[in-house]
Amino acid sequence: MGGIKTSSGVFEYFRYTPSIPAAATFIVLFSLTTALHTYQLARTRTWILLPLVLGGYCEFIGYIGRILCSNQAPNFTMGPYLLENLLTLLAPALFAASIYMCLGRIIRATDGEALSLIRPQRLTALFVTGDILGLGIQGGGAGVMTAGSLADFYAGEKVVVAGLALLVASFGLFVFVALVFDIRMRRAPTARSSESGLDWRMDLRALYIGSGLILVRSIFRLVEYSQGNSGWLIEHEWTFYVFDSVLMFAVMVLFNVLHPSHVKALLQGGRYFEKGGWRLAEAKGEEVQMGKVGGREEV
């Protein structure tokens, strides 16, 4: 297999031949959900989901890199490997940034600032800053790995582990903050939470599900990198698809269906209502989002 070999050891880019059908499947899946997100973003101008949309593009481009790697087997080269590895590592951090901003908007839309452990403005800044820092550390680790020596690859792995650990810790704190807000709001709901038409409980459930999926994936990648280049996880391709690909696709579909554009409409003085079996959100008289009641359809 292609990799970096020295008298002291070997770093293999892959310890199997990447499956072209599996990679092609996720190129199609991520392309479809990302295309829908792009349309929803243009239609609703819900810019807090811009990082998530960019993450979707990272995902399907990363899987193109995986096919390029498969075509090189067994003589893998660094370029396609870094394309695949770096983009699939960074995409979930972009998903996380959108989730952080969604919580801040939910708190503001319900007039729940007093119930949050962290003020919404600081909450978004704090967690997005942590996300950017984690992204930077992982990107720096990938950069170290491009230096080309075996020592550089092992050093880069350790840096990536540090970035993943930061993201896991940040996510854990974020979920705790969201839970505290949820509990306090249920015990002492604000007038706005009852009168605005905002189903904040459903929106929080969406954040919990999305956060849980990203957290499981991040823990998986943390363990994978911690085991090293010859670890059990990195030797079995199915673990990557089960604990990364499927989970990240589920996050994107989740926010296709439970799109937070209605929160944006309410914050802009608009309204959220049901009409003829459809959910409608309007900001200052302009319809910005529409979907079937019950989440059966979202455009």
Side-chain angles (χ1 to χ4, degrees):
M1 295 253 177
I4 295 177
K5 300 180 177 67
T6 69
S7 58
S8 60
V10 59
F11 182 100
E12 296 285 3
Y13 294 129
F14 292 95
R15 295 190 178 266
Y16 51 78
T17 298
S19 168
I20 291 180
T25 297
F26 278 94
I27 288 173
V28 172
L29 292 176
F30 277 113
S31 296
L32 290 174
T33 183
T34 302
L36 179 54
H37 269 297
T38 301
Y39 169 75
Q40 290 175 307
L41 184 69
R43 175 75 180 274
T44 68
R45 299 187 292 277
T46 307
W47 301 117
I48 59 174
L49 286 192
L50 178 60
L52 184 140
V53 175
L54 294 176
Y57 284 103
C58 287
E59 289 283 8
F60 77 74
I61 294 172
Y63 285 95
I64 291 174
R66 200 168 180 87
I67 288 181
L68 295 176
C69 290
S70 182
N71 289 333
Q72 292 181 337
N75 300 311
F76 303 112
T77 60
M78 184 185 298
Y81 168 78
L82 286 178
L83 176 69
E84 180 271 340
N85 196 45
L86 182 60
L87 293 182
T88 57
L89 267 177
L90 299 186
L94 293 171
F95 297 168
S98 285
I99 289 177
Y100 296 150
M101 289 187 281
C102 282
L103 178 60
R105 301 310 190 275
I106 292 170
I107 292 172
R108 289 171 52 204
T110 56
D111 286 342
E113 289 88 344
L115 302 177
S116 176
L117 285 175
I118 306 173
R119 296 179 62 180
Q121 297 85 349
R122 294 179 180 176
L123 182 149
T124 298
L126 173 65
F127 288 110
V128 171
T129 298
D131 205 46
I132 293 173
L133 183 58
L135 273 170
I137 292 174
Q138 290 181 73
V144 172
M145 293 170 71
T146 64
S149 72
L150 185 64
D152 291 327
F153 264 81
Y154 286 137
E157 274 191 325
K158 293 178 181 178
V159 175
V160 170
V161 167
L164 287 167
L166 176 61
L167 290 177
V168 169
S170 179
F171 243 99
L173 178 59
F174 169 77
V175 172
F176 176 74
V177 171
L179 282 170
V180 170
F181 169 75
D182 191 355
I183 293 170
R184 289 177 175 178
M185 181 62 79
R186 289 175 187 273
R187 289 177 176 174
T190 62
R192 176 71 169 169
S193 68
S194 302
E195 299 173 0
S196 65
L198 170 65
D199 189 354
W200 61 271
R201 293 180 180 85
M202 176 60 73
D203 290 308
L204 279 180
R205 281 195 289 270
L207 295 192
Y208 291 149
I209 294 170
S211 298
L213 291 170
I214 296 175
L215 186 59
V216 170
R217 174 264 173 200
S218 297
I219 292 173
F220 161 72
R221 297 307 294 265
L222 178 61
V223 174
E224 178 189 48
Y225 271 84
S226 297
Q227 288 182 345
N229 185 246
S230 59
W232 187 87
L233 290 175
I234 210 166
E235 290 181 344
H236 296 81
E237 185 177 23
W238 68 266
T239 62
F240 171 77
Y241 282 102
V242 170
F243 295 108
D244 192 315
S245 310
V246 172
L247 301 187
M248 295 306 93
F249 175 67
V251 170
M252 294 206 68
V253 172
L254 174 70
F255 287 101
N256 281 135
V257 176
L258 298 176
H259 200 271
S261 52
H262 59 282
V263 180
K264 169 182 177 285
L266 292 168
L267 285 171
Q268 292 183 345
R271 60 192 183 117
Y272 173 68
F273 60 99
E274 297 178 7
K275 180 180 179 181
W278 291 84
R279 296 184 305 182
L280 304 174
E282 294 182 348
K284 297 181 180 179
E286 178 186 0
E287 182 183 304
V288 297
Q289 185 267 340
M290 181 171 62
K292 268 290 187 182
V293 173
R296 293 186 295 275
E297 185 178 345
E298 189 90 15
V299 296

